[in-house]
Amino acid sequence: YQTEPDALALRAFAPNFLFPESQEWKPGDFGIGLEAAYSRHLGSVFNLSLPLKLGTATYLLNDQGDTKEAGYFGLDALVEIKYSNPDQFVNPALFFGGGYFFDQDEQSQWNFPTGLSLDFLIGAGLYLSTKAEYRFGLEDYTDNLQVGIGFKVLMGKRPPKEEPVVTPSAPDRDGD
């Protein structure tokens, strides 16, 4: 089957750079931001997604636990492996890819996100979109966890559903 060729998503996201080191789940360690993503349907199993993120985060600076809060700007290129159907209630996808982010102090880093998304059908082409990812960094203290929630809208025209072909039956002997 084929679905709409494009989708746009808008999610609130929360990055946490402290959890990978502390292994402690503290709600106050999460930053906040906004993610806008464009996705392109590449077939029944794959999508290409390009999320752009803007927000704030608390960054770990050293082994002594010193931190700084700074702005966050990032762009990713993700491959999504999906099990989806536009008419089913839950559409899960695994994703992986590469990303680049920098903070307001112009510290820039490459990282490699991997994660899971779940999209819940609200209406025709509209989904509640959730996302959880772990981002592996190349530099010390850049691994991070991110969670997000928002909406996804499918765009484009869905091919019409094929109606079953009904062949008229042959008339009976007396023609009625």
Side-chain angles (χ1 to χ4, degrees), residues 3-159:
T3 63
E4 291 80 352
D6 302 295
L8 289 178
L10 188 61
R11 296 179 196 93
F13 81 99
N16 185 333
F17 286 80
L18 305 179
F19 176 78
E21 293 295 321
S22 70
Q23 298 294 302
E24 293 181 38
W25 189 267
K26 297 178 187 173
D29 290 348
F30 284 87
I32 189 72
L34 192 62
E35 172 186 302
Y38 166 77
S39 294
R40 179 71 180 173
H41 173 76
L42 300 177
S44 62
V45 178
F46 296 103
N47 282 352
L48 173 65
S49 181
L50 302 170
L52 176 68
K53 299 177 180 193
L54 182 62
T56 62
T58 302
Y59 299 92
L60 186 62
L61 299 175
N62 54 40
D63 287 336
Q64 288 74 39
D66 295 329
T67 61
K68 72 171 180 177
E69 188 167 320
Y72 179 101
F73 176 79
L75 178 64
D76 298 335
L78 305 174
V79 173
E80 298 174 342
I81 303 169
K82 62 186 177 177
Y83 176 75
S84 65
N85 178 326
D87 298 318
Q88 71 188 23
F89 178 65
V90 179
N91 289 277
L94 296 173
F95 61 87
F96 62 92
Y100 193 76
F101 79 92
F102 64 93
D103 65 33
Q104 68 192 35
D105 295 334
E106 298 183 21
Q107 299 293 321
S108 58
Q109 306 290 332
W110 286 100
N111 54 40
F112 300 94
T114 184
L116 170 71
S117 66
L118 295 173
D119 294 335
F120 299 91
L121 182 63
I122 295 173
L126 179 63
Y127 297 85
L128 175 67
S129 181
T130 64
K131 195 173 174 184
E133 61 189 86
Y134 192 87
R135 305 175 68 86
F136 298 92
L138 295 178
E139 304 292 327
D140 289 341
Y141 314 115
T142 58
D143 286 5
N144 64 92
L145 174 70
Q146 292 186 13
V147 293
I149 189 166
F151 296 97
K152 181 187 276 186
V153 177
L154 301 181
M155 302 180 325
K157 191 167 189 165
R158 183 186 305 181

